[in-house]
Amino acid sequence: MDEDGFEQFTMTREDIVNQMEPLQKLMNEEHKRRIGEILKHDPIILERMHSLKDEAGNWMERRESIRVQQNAYMHTHQLDSYFIDKRK
């Protein structure tokens, strides 16, 4: 599932959970069992959420690194000066 689909899924799931909360007292054992089956999928959902968060964090770090490197070369230098870039 891509990021947008996953976001829509989690938002819909949250809405459903919020709608069910007032009905909690009316649930019988079968309802509770079925909810338990659904909750077994939470670790998979959380794993995907962490994966997307890590991916976004890595992207932001790469973007910042690229920006810093570009800024180093974009500074205007005096016309009669030299710029020497040495590799480490």
Side-chain angles (χ1 to χ4, degrees), residues 26-86:
L26 303 175
M27 289 183 197
N28 61 30
E29 290 305 314
E30 176 62 17
H31 293 136
K32 291 177 184 177
R33 185 192 66 74
R34 293 175 87 186
I35 290 170
E37 290 293 320
I38 293 169
L39 292 176
K40 287 181 182 177
H41 299 286
D42 277 3
I44 297 167
I45 294 169
L46 288 172
E47 182 180 328
R48 179 67 174 144
M49 289 173 73
H50 287 296
S51 171
L52 291 172
K53 180 189 74 133
D54 292 343
E55 184 179 320
N58 291 337
W59 179 84
M60 289 175 67
E61 286 177 12
R62 283 193 312 269
R63 181 164 166 77
E64 179 63 21
S65 175
I66 290 169
R67 188 183 65 75
V68 167
Q69 290 173 5
Q70 286 175 340
N71 284 343
Y73 287 98
M74 292 181 135
H75 288 319
T76 57
H77 301 285
Q78 294 179 353
L79 293 177
D80 60 347
S81 66
Y82 293 99
F83 179 77
I84 299 172
D85 188 11
K86 293 187 178 187

Side-chain angles (χ1 to χ4, degrees), residues 1-18 42 44-46 48-49 52:
M1 184 180 296
D2 68 351
E3 295 87 4
D4 294 332
F6 187 73
E7 181 181 6
Q8 183 61 43
F9 168 77
T10 55
M11 289 173 56
T12 302
R13 186 176 188 271
E14 183 179 7
D15 289 342
I16 292 170
V17 169
N18 289 338
D42 277 3
I44 297 167
I45 294 169
L46 288 172
R48 179 67 174 144
M49 289 173 73
L52 291 172

